[in-house]
Amino acid sequence: MKNNIVKVGIVGANGYAGAEVLRLIAAHPNAQLTAVTSRAHYGKRVCDVFPALPCELAFTDMADNVLKTCDVVFVALPQTAGAALVGELIDAGVRVVDLSADYRFDDVALYERVYKVTHPRPDLNALSVYGLCEYNRDKIRAAKLVANPGCYVTSVLLPMLPLCKAGLASDIIADSKSGVSGAGRKSDEAYGFCALDENFKAYGVFNHRHAPEMSEKTGAEILFTPHLLPIKRGILSTVYFKTPDATAALDALKTAYTGEKFVEYSETLPEITTVAHTNRCVFSARFDGNRGIVVSVIDNLLKGAAGQAVQNMNIMFGLDEAAGLPRYAPI
């Protein structure tokens, strides 16, 4: 890194999360976009594919050695598709923020069971730091490889980790609703306009891949059901739990993120529009005896993916943690 400018590469910039990283980096005061890859748009200029971005850089192939000249590379490929590439970049001395689940799990065997693959570089799991910024900031600073958390997971972990770590939550049920971009950019009738408009549905019941990630990071069994909303972006998670001490639980939630720029407790119940197009997580809680309910909202493409990834980069390179990241929702 020269003159406080980070040379950045982005692999998989055509997907929703990768494109959001591209948009954030293009406007980042301390970043220089050095390489960007997309098989679908190979050879085209960024400004031709995304007219809103005045960038003349051409999309290249992920095998291009220019990636190895970067200070950091964001790998925004589907699960299992980029694990080997991440290893090559780390071996070449490039720092990596991986937006997939390939390096999120402490238990490699659990990852292999969930994703039904053999991990190509299990040796790197011990090197990887889980990129939940507000919890692992010190480790992220020195990390060579940061595993960006899942979007649903982020919406649940941020409010529930203070409770789980203090032994103040049990019997946890997470009921989450996401905008359609959370399913990724894919050609599938189930995610088309006609299937989703004026509709609302559950999916991944008892087998969504984010459930084991939530349970591993909290140390608690979490019953998780995701749903798709007929909106573009945003997640609202309603988390039900039991607590031995509602007063202590509420105090823990109100004080856990004092001073944080992107996570806050709200006295009023937050809505998706509270955080859409921002890097914030806002949550609130209500209690009735030993029963608690938390409502948590994030933008799935920002705090749930690209925004948190850029926040991780800022921490890794000693930059202002909020650099290049939106804090306020459009009116």
Side-chain angles (χ1 to χ4, degrees):
M1 184 173 71
K2 294 183 179 180
N3 302 320
N4 217 31
I5 299 297
V6 181
K7 294 172 64 178
V8 176
I10 304 169
V11 175
N14 186 46
Y16 287 131
E20 281 288 88
V21 174
L22 175 58
R23 180 177 68 86
L24 294 173
I25 292 299
H28 196 292
N30 304 105
Q32 175 188 334
L33 187 60
T34 301
V36 58
T37 84
S38 167
R39 287 180 296 181
H41 299 304
Y42 178 81
K44 298 178 183 177
R45 297 180 304 172
V46 169
C47 58
D48 293 330
V49 177
F50 300 106
L53 298 180
C55 177
E56 300 282 333
L57 196 66
F59 287 97
T60 185
D61 185 86
M62 65 182 188
D64 196 320
N65 282 331
V66 69
L67 289 171
K68 296 179 181 178
T69 70
C70 296
D71 297 310
V72 64
V73 172
F74 295 90
V75 178
L77 295 175
Q79 276 67 233
T80 76
L85 173 65
V86 169
E88 293 173 14
L89 292 169
I90 295 295
D91 292 344
V94 179
R95 300 174 84 176
V96 174
V97 179
D98 184 19
L99 279 77
S100 81
D102 293 335
Y103 294 96
R104 290 178 190 159
F105 287 81
D106 298 325
D107 184 347
V108 176
L110 176 60
Y111 162 82
E112 292 181 335
R113 289 197 301 274
V114 171
Y115 290 92
K116 299 177 174 58
V117 295
T118 299
H119 203 303
R121 288 296 302 268
D123 57 301
L124 292 182
N125 266 65
L127 186 72
S128 175
V129 173
Y130 192 66
L132 195 66
C133 302
E134 288 73 20
Y135 274 87
N136 286 332
R137 192 174 275 119
D138 289 343
K139 292 181 180 179
I140 291 166
R141 287 191 181 100
K144 295 180 180 178
L145 170 58
V146 171
N148 219 53
C151 54
Y152 282 126
V153 184
T154 297
S155 72
V156 173
L157 288 189
L158 285 171
M160 295 308 295
L161 271 177
L163 302 181
C164 291
K165 286 179 175 292
L168 291 169
S170 62
D171 301 317
I172 301 169
I173 299 172
D175 184 299
S176 300
K177 297 91 174 170
S178 174
V180 182
S181 58
R185 179 173 283 171
K186 62 186 73 174
S187 178
D188 189 321
E189 288 184 9
Y191 303 103
F193 176 82
C194 290
L196 292 171
D197 186 46
E198 299 189 47
N199 195 13
F200 178 54
K201 60 184 179 182
Y203 69 103
V205 176
F206 282 121
N207 60 17
H208 194 278
R209 60 184 181 267
H210 281 180
E213 186 181 338
M214 291 179 192
S215 293
E216 185 186 68
K217 302 310 176 186
T218 59
E221 284 298 318
I222 297 180
L223 185 59
F224 170 62
T225 303
H227 304 73
L228 279 183
L229 291 168
I231 61 175
K232 291 180 180 178
R233 60 200 300 157
I235 286 176
L236 187 149
S237 289
T238 305
V239 186
Y240 308 87
F241 58 96
K242 291 183 179 179
T243 181
D245 188 333
T247 301
L250 182 59
D251 184 62
L253 290 170
K254 287 185 174 182
T255 59
Y257 297 102
T258 302
E260 290 290 350
K261 294 180 178 180
F262 294 117
V263 187
E264 63 184 83
Y265 182 87
S266 170
E267 294 294 340
T268 59
L269 294 175
E271 304 173 6
I272 284 176
T273 54
T274 306
V275 298
H277 301 279
T278 80
N279 193 53
R280 296 164 66 220
C281 171
V282 179
F283 62 89
S284 190
R286 301 290 184 271
F287 292 89
D288 179 13
N290 70 340
R291 299 182 300 171
I293 296 176
V294 162
V295 176
S296 171
V297 292
I298 64 170
D299 185 311
N300 60 294
L301 293 179
L302 288 171
K303 189 58 173 170
Q308 186 153 237
V310 172
Q311 187 180 353
N312 275 309
M313 181 196 78
N314 290 341
I315 296 169
M316 293 166 78
F317 289 90
L319 305 174
D320 177 357
E321 194 166 322
L325 294 170
R327 292 181 65 183
Y328 304 108
I331 296 174

